[in-house]
Amino acid sequence: MSKKIGLALGGGAARGIAHIPLLEVFDELGVWPSKMAGTSIGALVGASYASGLSGAEIREHTISVLGNRMDAARHLFKHSEGSIFDLVNFSFRKPTQVDGLHLTKIALPDGVVENIEDTRIDFSVTATDFYNRNEVTIRTGPLRQAVAASIAIPGVIQAPNINGRLVIDGAMVNPVPMDHVCDDVDILVAIDVTGGPVQKDGLRPGYTDLALGVTQIMQHSITRLHCDKYKPDIYLAPPVNPFRAYDFLKADEILSAGDEVKDSFKRDLARLLEV
Amino acid sequence: MNILLIGSGGREHALAWKMKQSPLCTRLFCAPGNGGINQIAEHVTLDVDDHQAVVAFAKDNDVGLVVVGPEGPLVAGLADDLIAAGVRVFGPQAKAAQLEGSKGFTKDICARYNIPTASYGRFDNEAAALAYLAQQDMPIVVKADGLAAGKGVIVAATRQEAETAVKDIFGGLFGAAGAEVVIEDCLIGEEASFFALCDGETAVPLATAQDHKQVGEGDTGPNTGGMGAYSPAPVMDDEICRRTMDEIILPTVKAMKDIGAPFKGVFFAGLMITDKGPELIEYNVRFGDPECQVLMMRMEDDLVELLVAAADGKLAGYQTNWRNDVALTVVMAAKGYPGDYAKGSEIANLAEAGAGDGLEIFHAGTRVEGGKTIATGGRVLNVTALGESVSQARDAAYGAVEKIDWPGGFYRSDIGWRAVEREKV
């Protein structure tokens, strides 16, 4: 019998598109995680994969939704206030609130199951309870609603109420939820797409880059502590630093960043499966 | 087109017999063949393990299609090496042949693609096994994972029996074999086989069959390669066949494509027809033996055309056609099989026994020497007949069996009993 794999897909907004090539590795090896957990974009991408779609199908869907700017704009804002340019030109000074649940309806391809408990791979979604200031791990109930909560980036995507609680982006408490998939597995894989600030030509960061950058720094601290405690067998950070949180229209380039580490991931995973 | 057939069993004799009927077949070579095949095909001495030798033969003899009968060469990658050399081959490449070669691989595919099969869990401690049991329906199968001389399998009717079995195994009842426990759903129903051709993208249903694995009358005694079979399987009605395609075969085609190992060849799905519908017991990646013999008797299409279409990825638009007749085959084996048996006994009166329409005697372990047919293996002959019903096909097959003069052989006299019972009702 094959070894059991636990897979944690981290948050990182647009940078999480880099998860997709790494999911293709499981398909190509013909082995699949026995449990998965996702935070934010990791929950969004993970929901499709846990439902049974292949990595290649998720890639194809992502390109079809985001590959063409005009198509993407039409998709994203057909039923929302504001325009696509508010999202891709995001600034804390001019916040736009996209309806998270609506976003999941566009972002999740056909074939995603209704309820979390119906996913083919045991799946959990990590989010943050805003007023209680703690983590919420969602294991049952409507999958789209859970994902909408997990991706509710403050000020950008409107957070839903779940059972009377205001639930926002899980990356605020648990950016790479490896602790939810480490029990009863032989191989723990953590994929971190948090990214971090990159200096550009000696320029000082603007207000928005500063605000996002400090969040990334705090998220790295949390992830480092989790790595020390849960010791993932494979910790992967695809080269996504150059991409901003809202670079959804650079899907092609972010996929390439994932492709860059795909082969080494495949080799490492194959080696661990053989031992 | 020249064709090279690899194999030496009754299955390959039936394939050779069917392919010889095709106008597309010019010369038919067979390696290593047997006493029956070599009467209709050109015998070739080839080391099938030496893939480059097979490639060289194919190239030297202008072979347009290689058909691999048994699973061994497929798992060993013969199809891969032929394709790499530009030789057309019917049969999956090694990675796709894992469907038969690795049970764990197939179980993983089933879980990922929602293919109905017995669900199972594997445990190295009592607490986890009991926790799993608490969530399962009874009856259930509890197995000591290691070798336990066949005693390590308990079919538990009640939860209490199952829990006792788990505790016994971890308590050391089977010694080291009980270090791990496998708990598997107990599939209850009737077993049947379903066959489908696949070109990597498109799967086309073939037909159904049922076989008799055990050596003794009434399905008793040790397992064999198969003592007889018949087609179609009455339990496989149109609805069950449709569900088998939709729920088992097509998701598998997609899975194999997704993992970069598109399946080109024949799916031989071993099924249990439960009250929920068809569930997969196991996959084989080649025609069954003796199921192939009954399938070939019933097939109306040009087998060569179908195999070429599968190899070339051009099955889309094909459908297969089958005689309404039932085909039934009785295996004659050397006395002692599946244990020790003597080789070299003479078989007489084959020509007379095999005369007549709708009757074929396919050879398995035979050699022809100076006009005499000599038994050289365990399973030796497949006496195969067509009839309008299972009973008629059975009577025709046994009529021929009784004419064969082979004191060194034996056969089961109840092949098809379940289907015959069904006909009486």
Side-chain angles (χ1 to χ4, degrees), chain A residues 1-2 27-28 32 49 52-54 57 120-121, chain B residues 95 108-109 111-114 120 122 254 258-259:
Chain A
M1 175 158 145
S2 44
D27 300 324
E28 288 165 16
W32 295 278
Y49 198 73
L53 279 92
S54 69
E57 285 168 331
R120 289 191 200 160
I121 297 171
Chain B
K95 193 173 172 190
D108 285 354
I109 294 262
R112 175 64 182 161
Y113 288 85
N114 233 9
Y120 76 128
R122 184 165 170 169
K254 178 179 186 309
D258 284 350
I259 69 168

Side-chain angles (χ1 to χ4, degrees), chain B residues 5-7 11-12 15 67-71 73-74 90 285-287:
Chain B
L5 173 64
I6 308 279
R11 163 181 52 210
E12 286 76 21
L15 290 172
V67 178
V68 184
E71 65 278 16
L74 296 170
F90 177 80
V285 298
R286 30 80 193 177
F287 283 106

